[in-house]
Amino acid sequence: MKHIALSVLLSVAAVGASAQSLPVYLDSNRPVEERIDDALNRMTLQEKIRIIHAQSKFSSAGVPRLGFPDFWTDDGPHGVRPDVLWDEWEQAGQTNDSCVAFPALTCLAASWNPQLSRLYGHSLGEEALYRGKDMILGPGVNIYRTPLGGRNFEYMGEDPFLTSTMVVPYIQGMQSLGVSACVKHFCLNNDEENRFNVNVSVSDRALHEIYLPAFKAAVEQGKVWAIMGGYNLYRDEHCCHNSITLNKILKGDWQFDGVVVSDWGGTHDTDQAVKNGLDMEFGSWTNGLSAGTSNAYDNYYLATPYLKGIKEGRYTTKELDEKVRRVLRLFYRTTMRKDRPYGYLCSDEHYAAARKIGEEGIVLLQNKGGVLPLNVKKGGRVLVVGENAIKMMTVGGGSSSLKAQRELSPLDGLKARLAKDGVVVDYARGYVGDVTGNYNGVTTGQNLDDQRSSEELIAEAVEKARLADCVVMFGGLNKSDFQDCEGHDRKEYALPYGQDNVIEALAKVNANMVYVNISGNAVAMPWRNSVPAIVQGWFLGSEAGEALAAVLTGDANPSGKLPFTWVKSLKQVGAHVLDAYPGVWRKHGGAQTPDNIIDEDYKEGVYVGYRWTDLKRERPEFAFGHGLSYTTFAISNLRADKAVMDRNDSIAFTVTVKNTGLRAGAETVQLYIHDRKASVDRPVKELKGFSKVWLEPGESRDVTIAIDNSALCFYDESQSAWRSENGTFEAWVGNASDNLKLKKAFELK
């Protein structure tokens, strides 16, 4: 087992050493930094170089002579990726590398429940331990800037405060087990299309207020042990070796003591990698190498070229020793940790966690006439429509693709749940999307091929819908290219595969229609007023069918809230209105070349998501923080513990929340801050606190949310620092960004 440094045990036994005579670097009673110093002094130049770059697709070397085992990473953040061959992306052919697929991070963020985030990280950490992984490449915290972003499903929404609050317990849950989280992609990695070429220009204020807070929280509060650089550029430097983001901000301002890891193939230059903050280089055939090149990993930028540069005097060992120090610190936190447990794989507890996260993250967007929860009498009929009711979603989407031990489809979940009540569930395809089911050698085994025309498919669905008591359509996106998938952004905001036609046809013949959108992104809903009930179902992983069925039938009361603004069209997105996305190609000699750069100016500044729609006084389709329940709540009696606060103080706001309905349920109290007057343009309001509370019917409870001076600050570009200004602020409290009926003024002096 690689939890035991076997070579060290043998060498110690050979000399009859006792615990007291262990070398300093092996003595767990010594301070870690002292052990690092000792190990560093014992390492040869070749050994130092050896541990700062990959030796296989997902591993880096240890120091066998000193007993440091190899270090194994694997993709997340929704489950432990299946193993590939040592030097190929092909599957290793193992039978014990399946996993529990947890819901996508958009779903986790939609739960607005930090306790679930810790459970998520802890459960995933246990699976990683069992699989022999020392670091999981996740979670992702890049901001949802446009609904066309192909990788938005892996992130936690548009708001920096919500994302910051949710990422910290995820990290803590995972790292409590001795498995390193690796927060990604640092930073400004908001596009997938041409992601290697995008050079971002953004104001310092927007950088610090919108795009960096979650990373900062991960470092300062979550104490994360690793950060992964992004593929994109910022100020003409790649983010995997960027002097500003890595050296100045991450390691300087935030005092990050962990390891900066390159994204796979994100390193481009030895000199910049040496000097600009990169610690460990991972990748696949970087350096212009081609498949089959011998000793490929030795040719990485931080491998032989770096070693040669040191020997030739172009570099000193100062930067190298700093990189090695950080890597050794990572070893002591993970592979060299004596009390690290062994973990569990595909346990009942992990499936229960996945189901719980899924249930709490599902968002009830609309429920006119009380169509939900489903209320069909014994012998009644429910028609399920849509490819997404049967298509496996754990395979595909890029690096987060998984080999799940099992995945229950929405159709099968609903069938099983309704069968208990004697309800018949029928199915109609409705539309054909992507019938493939494989990624990187993992196949779903599903045959989804259907040669019928769209007219035939709609006609079948409509005929069956006429006879059904209720219609539930599962549509949305999937994890194919140009949808919710790494490597490409979406080409349009509309639903693909002609789904709008299916929805409109079904709504005309059955008044009891439910549309369940499976995606990590918002989609256009031109038919919204024709469909009484709409649910956002996300990518829910192994327990998708169980979680969705529980919510649709009322066995679970939905409590999810949107982590992003669901716009009506791209005309409500600042990046699109200002033609700031996807940027402009640089031209060399009037011709576009593959190595050109796309300059993308974030012209919208801090006005992302609800900040933009507030600025323009527009009503989106569904607001940030919106989410309904099968019960009702009253939030009242907003009061503060003081009327005036100073910068070293805090202020606490309390409201009374009452469940005024007939079901037990949960409500999320949201607190936003409005600055009445400022020396700079500020958003109308910004989320600065929230609390989720569970109540029985008729039960009331006081909920208190405290804020400090940081909630009142903006980033002052003239001083390159956070600053608050004396004056009057207001706390706006409610249960969605467009439903903040309680307001309380207070002074900062």
Side-chain angles (χ1 to χ4, degrees):
M1 298 293 292
K2 66 191 192 68
H3 298 286
I4 302 172
L6 182 59
S7 61
V8 171
L9 294 179
L10 293 174
S11 63
V12 169
V15 298
S18 64
Q20 287 73 21
S21 63
L22 282 173
V24 171
Y25 78 95
L26 289 176
D27 189 349
S28 60
N29 294 317
R30 300 284 193 124
V32 169
E33 296 306 311
E34 189 176 325
R35 299 172 71 188
I36 291 172
D37 287 338
D38 185 54
L40 191 62
N41 289 332
R42 294 171 185 267
M43 293 174 67
T44 66
L45 178 60
Q46 287 75 12
E47 286 171 337
K48 291 177 180 180
I49 292 290
R50 189 169 182 261
I51 70 170
I52 64 170
H53 67 84
Q55 66 171 357
S56 74
K57 291 300 184 193
F58 283 100
S59 74
S60 60
V63 189
R65 183 177 63 85
L66 299 179
F68 291 96
D70 292 347
F71 187 84
W72 286 87
T73 72
D74 211 341
D75 274 315
H78 307 140
V80 186
R81 184 175 179 168
D83 290 326
V84 298
L85 296 173
W86 181 267
D87 199 30
E88 302 290 341
W89 286 112
E90 295 304 314
Q91 292 298 295
Q94 296 182 7
T95 58
N96 63 342
D97 61 346
S98 58
C99 68
V100 172
F102 295 92
L105 291 190
T106 42
C107 176
L108 174 64
S111 74
W112 291 58
N113 186 346
Q115 292 177 333
L116 283 188
S117 189
R118 184 177 182 90
L119 174 65
Y120 195 123
H122 191 272
S123 301
L124 181 52
E126 287 186 327
E127 299 240 330
L129 276 175
Y130 190 92
R131 292 271 306 279
K133 310 303 180 185
D134 306 308
M135 181 164 70
I136 288 295
L137 306 175
V141 294
N142 293 100
I143 292 297
Y144 185 110
R145 180 174 173 247
T146 163
L148 300 189
R151 216 164 180 178
N152 283 340
F153 72 99
E154 284 191 50
Y155 302 143
M156 297 189 187
E158 72 183 34
D159 185 76
F161 182 84
L162 174 63
T163 305
S164 298
T165 304
M166 295 299 289
V167 72
V168 169
Y170 181 113
I171 295 166
Q172 293 170 335
M174 179 176 290
Q175 293 188 168
S176 68
L177 299 167
V179 176
S180 176
C182 183
V183 175
K184 60 187 187 182
H185 303 89
F186 191 67
C187 57
L188 300 165
N189 194 174
N190 307 105
D191 300 358
E192 283 300 295
E193 203 67 40
N194 301 303
R195 57 186 175 171
F196 292 97
N197 305 80
V198 173
N199 178 53
V200 174
S201 174
V202 62
S203 70
D204 284 349
R205 186 172 165 213
L207 177 68
H208 286 272
E209 290 190 18
I210 303 296
Y211 299 101
L212 290 185
F215 290 104
K216 185 178 182 182
V219 171
E220 296 185 343
Q221 299 173 44
K223 307 297 181 184
V224 71
W225 297 336
I227 294 279
M228 180 188 290
Y231 280 134
N232 58 294
L233 299 90
Y234 168 63
R235 294 191 180 181
D236 292 312
E237 289 184 347
H238 283 277
C239 285
C240 284
H241 35 69
N242 189 291
S243 59
I244 299 173
T245 60
L246 298 182
N247 284 345
K248 182 186 182 300
I249 296 175
L250 180 64
K251 294 183 175 181
D253 298 343
W254 300 348
Q255 294 293 293
F256 174 61
D257 69 355
V259 170
V260 174
V261 176
S262 75
D263 204 341
W264 269 231
T267 312
H268 300 270
D269 180 84
T270 295
D271 195 59
Q272 291 187 27
V274 170
K275 298 176 181 178
N276 290 350
L278 180 64
D279 298 312
M280 298 182 77
E281 180 186 1
F282 286 88
S284 172
W285 310 117
T286 60
N287 227 0
L289 303 177
S290 59
T293 299
S294 61
N295 302 316
Y297 300 101
D298 290 337
N299 292 325
Y300 275 25
Y301 295 102
L302 287 183
T304 301
Y306 190 11
L307 178 63
K308 182 179 179 183
I310 292 175
K311 289 181 176 180
E312 293 176 350
R314 287 186 284 116
Y315 309 114
T316 68
T317 57
K318 177 184 177 182
E319 293 92 351
L320 175 61
D321 285 350
E322 175 59 22
K323 298 177 194 299
V324 173
R325 180 178 298 278
R326 290 174 180 272
V327 174
L328 290 174
R329 191 176 292 128
L330 180 63
F331 287 174
Y332 282 119
R333 288 167 166 169
T334 56
T335 59
M336 298 296 284
R337 177 173 160 176
K338 290 178 61 177
D339 62 344
R340 193 161 69 153
Y342 288 97
Y344 302 91
L345 184 68
C346 299
S347 67
D348 290 343
E349 291 79 8
H350 294 168
Y351 281 109
R355 185 166 58 253
K356 176 67 172 172
I357 295 163
E359 289 177 359
E360 279 204 36
I362 292 170
V363 183
L364 179 59
L365 295 173
Q366 180 168 293
N367 193 22
K368 297 178 180 178
V371 173
L372 289 174
L374 297 175
N375 184 21
V376 182
K377 297 179 180 179
K378 185 176 182 179
R381 301 182 68 85
V382 170
L383 174 65
V384 172
V385 180
E387 182 175 285
N388 281 1
I390 59 174
K391 183 177 176 65
M392 287 180 63
M393 294 293 188
T394 56
V395 176
S399 62
S400 63
S401 180
L402 301 171
K403 185 167 78 174
Q405 185 189 52
R406 69 171 190 250
E407 177 182 350
L408 186 68
S409 71
L411 175 61
D412 288 341
L414 203 55
K415 276 184 175 180
R417 189 78 56 142
L418 292 177
K420 302 173 184 178
D421 301 322
V423 175
V424 177
V425 177
D426 197 4
Y427 175 72
R429 181 68 174 266
Y431 69 93
V432 175
D434 183 358
V435 300
T436 62
N438 62 81
Y439 182 83
N440 190 213
V442 177
T443 61
T444 63
Q446 291 183 302
N447 182 7
L448 298 179
D449 189 48
D450 196 317
Q451 298 300 315
R452 289 177 292 174
S453 68
S454 59
E455 292 77 12
E456 291 174 310
L457 291 167
I458 293 176
E460 178 200 38
V462 167
E463 182 180 354
K464 290 185 175 182
R466 295 181 192 277
L467 305 176
D469 296 286
C470 178
V471 175
V472 182
M473 176 168 171
F474 292 90
L477 309 178
N478 55 42
K479 292 186 176 179
S480 304
D481 285 346
F482 303 104
Q483 296 201 44
D484 280 322
C485 185
E486 177 184 2
H488 294 286
D489 288 340
R490 296 165 65 192
K491 293 184 176 181
E492 59 183 359
Y493 190 47
L495 282 170
Y497 313 127
Q499 292 178 68
D500 289 341
N501 296 331
V502 183
I503 296 167
E504 291 166 356
L506 292 171
K508 289 179 180 179
V509 298
N510 196 309
N512 294 321
M513 182 177 175
V514 180
Y515 173 71
V516 182
N517 191 69
I518 306 297
S519 75
N521 265 310
V523 299
M525 293 183 171
W527 34 259
R528 175 188 170 184
N529 293 332
S530 301
V531 178
I534 303 174
V535 174
Q536 176 58 18
W538 312 112
F539 298 115
L540 299 181
S542 291
E543 294 290 82
E546 284 281 4
L548 286 164
V551 168
L552 293 173
T553 60
D555 289 346
N557 194 347
S559 62
K561 303 283 187 177
L562 284 177
F564 52 72
T565 303
W566 198 298
V567 296
K568 294 179 180 178
S569 74
L570 297 180
K571 294 180 180 179
Q572 293 185 321
V573 180
H576 293 274
V577 173
L578 299 175
D579 291 325
Y581 168 90
V584 180
W585 284 95
R586 287 185 192 173
K587 305 271 185 172
H588 293 298
Q592 179 178 308
T593 58
D595 60 346
N596 272 359
I597 298 299
I598 299 175
D599 288 310
E600 187 168 356
D601 185 0
Y602 285 23
K603 299 175 186 177
E604 72 276 18
V606 299
Y607 294 100
V608 176
Y610 67 87
R611 291 165 170 82
W612 176 267
T613 52
D614 283 352
L615 175 70
K616 297 300 180 180
R617 298 182 180 180
E618 297 172 340
R619 290 188 62 85
E621 200 76 84
F622 300 105
F624 171 80
H626 169 77
L628 305 177
S629 171
Y630 294 149
T631 189
T632 54
F633 298 93
I635 303 175
S636 62
N637 192 21
L638 172 61
R639 59 265 193 205
D641 65 349
K642 58 176 68 72
V644 180
M645 66 174 285
D646 63 42
R647 286 172 175 77
N648 298 317
D649 202 357
S650 63
I651 183 170
F653 298 94
T654 302
V655 294
T656 301
V657 185
K658 182 177 182 179
N659 184 339
T660 56
L662 302 177
R663 291 173 175 261
E667 180 63 290
T668 299
V669 179
Q670 301 168 36
L671 182 148
Y672 297 75
I673 293 297
H674 167 70
D675 189 350
R676 284 187 179 176
K677 184 178 181 181
S679 62
V680 297
D681 288 333
R682 302 196 71 176
V684 174
K685 62 178 182 291
E686 295 182 282
L687 179 72
K688 295 297 179 182
F690 63 88
S691 181
K692 194 168 188 175
V693 57
W694 283 259
L695 299 171
E696 295 295 323
E699 182 182 4
S700 295
R701 191 178 304 169
D702 284 348
V703 173
T704 299
I705 300 173
I707 63 170
D708 59 21
N709 181 60
S710 65
L712 311 180
C713 289
F714 61 89
Y715 190 81
D716 188 338
E717 294 182 332
S718 66
Q719 299 181 18
S720 297
W722 290 90
R723 185 163 70 90
S724 61
E725 296 177 326
N726 291 344
T728 302
F729 294 81
E730 292 178 354
W732 295 0
V733 179
N735 64 357
S737 64
D738 65 343
N739 190 30
L740 305 170
K741 298 179 180 179
L742 303 178
K743 298 184 179 182
K744 187 78 173 180
F746 64 98
E747 297 288 328
L748 175 68
K749 290 186 177 180

